[in-house]
Amino acid sequence: MGDIIDGKALAERIFTDVKLEVAKLATAPRLVAVAVGDDKASAAYTKRQAKLAQSCGILYRLDNLPSEAPESALRAHLETLNRDPGVSAVILQTPLPRSFDLVRCRDAIALGKDVEGVTTLAAGRLAMQKAVIAPCTAEAALHCLRAAIPDLRGLEVAVVGRSDIVGKPLALLLIHESATVTVCHRQTRDLAEVLRRADAIIAAAGSAGLVRAEMVKAGAVVVDVGTNAVTAPDGSTKLVGDVDFEAVKERARAITPVPGGVGQVTVAMLMRNAVRLARAAAETCT
Ligand code: NAP
């Protein structure tokens, strides 16, 4: 059986570093989350953000716009935060109302305050290896992989998923680490064949059970980004990843569990990014 990559332990180490970095700053970073409406999952996530920010010495505030607020009000609010010198980082919660243009809303966040690296400018900077931070989930997946394989040079990595906030930035981060990357998606002709030749698989598809044991090379490292709520026969729901964990752990050299894997590290990366942006802003001012 392969090693279980412990996301909680990895996150704890990041939190320790974040606290030390916050203590070195003249002013504590202030992270503002902006939400529209009252999505339950988003509310649970902001509650968790608030708790962890506080434990790291990061000031945190949630600005919750009413569900009937128009897109223009959201963008105006983000622009106000951009101008506020007391705010160092902004996170835009999803989902937004269906009628909103997500990219246009994200792009209303100033590059220097874009704590999740979701703006078009941040994506361009990441591609050019000029970014201060990268999208938190992509960073978290990379961190988990490096916990098992510190040197990624030459490694054959298959990424399942090509979304703007996970698959694509992850592929860029891996390329910058000199890995050889194959990005898979729904049009990939033979997913199993691509996965079987990979030294490492990072699954970020949002499809429970997509990666099965026979698709994994013996000794490969498997990082599961997927979070899928599935209903058990007794009606209860549980969170699972994209990987058939029980079977794949018997073949893999190391694997992340869901929950307790990438998700734990993602929120730690959010705090790390908040500190990095605050430090970059302070350096620009001096
Ligand atoms: P997304 O925007 O829906 O993108 C999913 C990607 O996976 C797409 O590129 C899609 O291909 C590909 N895909 C879906 N089913 C596939 C299949 N059967 N075969 C091959 N490719 C397939 O999702 P996302 O925002 O990137 O998130 C991905 C997963 O990560 C979700 O489960 C999400 O909940 C989870 N997530 C976890 C964290 C965390 O902290 N753990 C954070 C963010 C997201 P096409 O492009 O061809 O449609």
Side-chain angles (χ1 to χ4, degrees):
M1 193 181 97
D3 294 337
I4 308 300
I5 301 168
D6 182 350
K8 197 159 191 291
L10 292 175
E12 288 304 332
R13 263 172 256 150
I14 296 167
F15 288 131
T16 302
D17 291 345
V18 167
K19 284 177 206 165
L20 291 173
E21 288 302 312
V22 170
K24 286 186 205 158
L25 292 168
T27 319
R30 179 181 286 280
L31 170 60
V32 176
V34 181
V36 182
D38 50 7
D39 180 76
K40 267 194 191 150
S42 168
Y45 189 36
T46 52
K47 221 170 139 184
R48 188 154 164 242
Q49 288 167 10
K51 198 172 145 211
L52 292 171
Q54 194 190 15
S55 75
C56 293
I58 294 172
L59 305 172
Y60 182 89
R61 188 178 88 215
L62 168 64
D63 291 354
N64 208 150
L65 276 62
S67 52
E68 63 277 10
E71 183 187 320
S72 57
L74 170 62
R75 285 191 282 122
H77 188 76
L78 293 170
E79 278 152 21
T80 306
L81 296 175
N82 292 342
R83 288 189 298 272
D84 185 344
V87 174
S88 53
V90 175
I91 173 169
L92 179 60
Q93 293 298 129
T94 54
L96 293 176
R98 275 173 194 277
S99 62
F100 286 26
D101 181 326
L102 179 61
V103 173
R104 193 164 55 196
C105 292
R106 282 178 169 157
D107 280 347
I109 305 169
L111 176 66
K113 298 192 182 188
D114 174 14
V115 72
E116 286 197 302
V118 292
T119 57
T120 306
L121 281 176
R125 307 268 317 166
L126 179 64
M128 303 305 283
Q129 269 189 286
K130 298 281 180 209
V132 174
I133 53 103
C136 309
T137 310
E139 284 270 29
L142 179 70
H143 195 78
C144 289
L145 176 59
R146 289 175 71 172
I149 309 176
D151 185 354
L152 304 181
R153 281 176 297 179
L155 201 79
E156 294 261 2
V157 185
V159 176
V160 190
R162 57 173 167 180
S163 73
D164 292 339
I165 60 153
V166 189
K168 254 187 248 175
L170 182 54
L172 286 169
L173 289 170
L174 288 163
I175 290 168
H176 298 159
E177 295 284 331
S178 296
T180 301
V181 186
T182 307
V183 180
C184 308
H185 43 76
R186 283 191 176 89
Q187 310 304 320
T188 298
R189 228 176 318 161
D190 190 342
L191 181 66
E193 197 255 337
V194 176
L195 298 190
R196 264 196 298 268
R197 59 163 201 262
D199 304 312
I201 296 170
I202 305 185
S207 177
L210 179 66
V211 178
R212 300 187 305 276
E214 68 272 19
M215 298 166 144
V216 177
K217 179 164 87 174
V221 172
V222 180
V223 173
D224 194 352
V225 180
T227 49
N228 311 289
V230 294
T231 308
D234 66 359
S236 62
T237 52
K238 66 169 188 167
L239 201 66
V240 300
D242 291 346
V243 177
D244 178 358
F245 180 79
E246 289 305 324
V248 172
K249 78 176 194 305
E250 301 302 325
R251 275 185 82 74
R253 171 146 77 84
I255 184 168
T256 59
V258 177
V262 176
Q264 294 278 340
V265 183
T266 297
V267 69
M269 287 299 176
L270 178 66
M271 301 306 149
R272 194 177 83 171
N273 281 358
V275 174
R276 285 188 174 175
L277 290 185
R279 196 172 49 211
E283 282 165 6
T284 312
C285 291
T286 52

